[in-house]
Amino acid sequence: MTAEIIDGKGFAAKVTDRVADHVSRLKTDHGVTPGLAVVLVGEDPASQVYVSSKGKRTKESGMASFEHRLDAAASEMDLLNLIERLNGDPAVHGILVQLPLPGHLDDAKVINAIAPEKDVDGFHVSNVGLLGTGQKSMVPCTPLGCLMMLRERHGSLSGLDAVVIGRSNIVGKPMAQLLLGDSCTVTVAHSRTKDLPEVVRRADIVVAAVGRPEIVPGGWIKEGATVIDVGINRVDAGGGKTRLVGDVEFDGARRRAGAITPVPGGVGPMTIACLLANTVTACCRINGLPEPEGLAV
Ligand code: GUN
């Protein structure tokens, strides 16, 4: 068997088009322009690239983008004051504080200061609780993108055996909740899991989100399974070069899986598309307007 390659880049482009369509309709029919505020504290080079790219993509889809860059030494009060201002700003419908924050700042305290209805990352404890109890919430972008790709491939996920490898608050835990919400039988595996090969072997759906290069050998994958690889790991490719690999050994897995996301070009592009989708969803909910179809759970 040779797996179908799930085209995350193409799928993300379709989601982004749907977002742009809805933004245009919100403007013409209701005079509302969705706005996303992104906050970066410090000068971490990777975070600077992510934040610039989020701002660019937000503007390209017709939304307003507000960038706030704070000095690495900014106090917790500086950051909380900024968040309070954004919470009360009617032009801002989504607020994202780029993580990781410098060590002297408390991630949880900062995230929980964001108004839950503007929490486009879905990290606020209220949104985590709403998702866990099957209520309407803002859903973290990466798991939302993974769920969209799985629904597109399978239609119904009901009754399928799913394993999520990794238990982070950003990906693993919300992914497990979403799969449970779609009636999968879900196993969350992690570094202490006793027999990971056996857990993976019986899974119809494997979502790998540990951030360890090729930790899942292709031979573990069940024939015909769907593999969603969230890992983006830079490894030595010899000759002073590097290359990106996922958490799953792609060539081996491709020979057994029914479908698999590539790295790069799989989950990555869906994450930013879902951030744009969440911003439109937040804008509609805040203004009591109909939400776009298929962009939220
Ligand atoms: N840093 C890495 N991924 C993310 C994310 O999804 N959201 C935020 N806010 N920061 C991140």
Side-chain angles (χ1 to χ4, degrees):
M1 173 173 259
T2 302
E4 179 192 322
I5 306 297
I6 299 173
D7 178 13
K9 201 169 164 195
F11 197 152
K14 282 189 205 153
V15 171
T16 308
D17 282 350
R18 250 185 290 154
V19 167
D21 273 356
H22 207 80
V23 169
S24 157
R25 244 173 298 140
L26 283 172
K27 284 183 184 175
T28 50
D29 296 353
H30 303 283
V32 173
T33 302
L36 173 64
V38 177
V39 179
L40 173 64
V41 185
E43 282 94 39
D44 177 68
S47 291
Q48 284 183 334
V49 173
Y50 292 139
V51 165
S52 300
S53 146
K54 283 167 185 170
K56 180 165 168 273
R57 296 288 302 281
T58 302
K59 283 182 243 167
E60 281 169 3
S61 63
M63 297 191 274
S65 165
F66 308 96
E67 256 182 59
H68 295 270
R69 292 177 187 244
L70 269 59
D71 192 82
S75 70
E76 189 171 272
M77 196 46 75
D78 291 336
L79 184 52
L80 294 177
N81 284 341
L82 171 61
I83 291 172
E84 200 180 322
R85 194 149 54 79
L86 297 172
N87 283 343
D89 185 342
V92 172
H93 306 95
I95 301 170
L96 180 147
V97 177
Q98 185 67 28
L99 301 176
L101 289 169
H104 66 285
L105 298 170
D106 178 348
D107 288 13
K109 189 167 180 188
V110 169
I111 287 163
N112 290 330
I114 297 172
E117 68 275 15
K118 295 190 178 186
D119 168 35
V120 282
D121 263 326
F123 296 163
H124 189 290
V125 62
S126 293
N127 283 314
V128 175
L130 289 168
L131 177 62
T133 50
Q135 301 178 73
K136 195 179 255 198
S137 65
M138 296 308 301
V139 175
C141 304
T142 300
L144 178 59
C146 295
L147 185 75
M148 284 182 186
M149 291 191 283
L150 286 167
R151 283 181 175 174
E152 168 90 356
R153 163 124 191 115
H154 288 269
S156 168
L157 306 182
S158 181
L160 295 177
D161 274 311
V163 59
V164 179
I165 313 173
R167 54 176 157 178
S168 71
N169 291 337
I170 293 182
V171 184
K173 286 182 203 161
M175 188 75 243
Q177 295 288 4
L178 288 170
L179 291 167
L180 204 49
D182 271 24
S183 300
C184 290
T185 301
V186 183
T187 304
V188 182
H190 46 78
S191 55
R192 303 288 173 88
T193 296
K194 278 202 190 115
D195 192 349
L196 184 59
E198 185 47 35
V199 171
V200 173
R201 270 189 202 113
R202 55 169 198 261
D204 304 305
I205 292 170
V206 179
V207 180
V210 270
R212 298 264 204 91
E214 299 178 325
I215 193 173
V216 178
W220 292 2
I221 302 295
K222 178 176 172 176
E223 287 278 343
T226 301
V227 178
I228 305 289
D229 194 345
V230 181
I232 302 177
N233 310 290
R234 193 165 285 285
V235 296
D236 188 357
K241 295 200 171 132
T242 60
R243 67 189 175 99
L244 292 178
V245 299
D247 291 351
V248 179
E249 183 241 323
F250 183 80
D251 289 341
R254 194 182 175 185
R255 287 194 287 275
R256 300 180 61 81
I260 185 167
T261 57
V263 177
V267 174
M270 283 299 285
T271 295
I272 192 149
C274 287
L275 172 64
L276 303 176
N278 274 351
T279 305
V280 175
T281 299
C283 176
C284 292
R285 288 181 186 169
I286 288 166
N287 287 288
L289 297 169
E291 291 175 32
E293 291 280 312
L295 294 182
V297 275

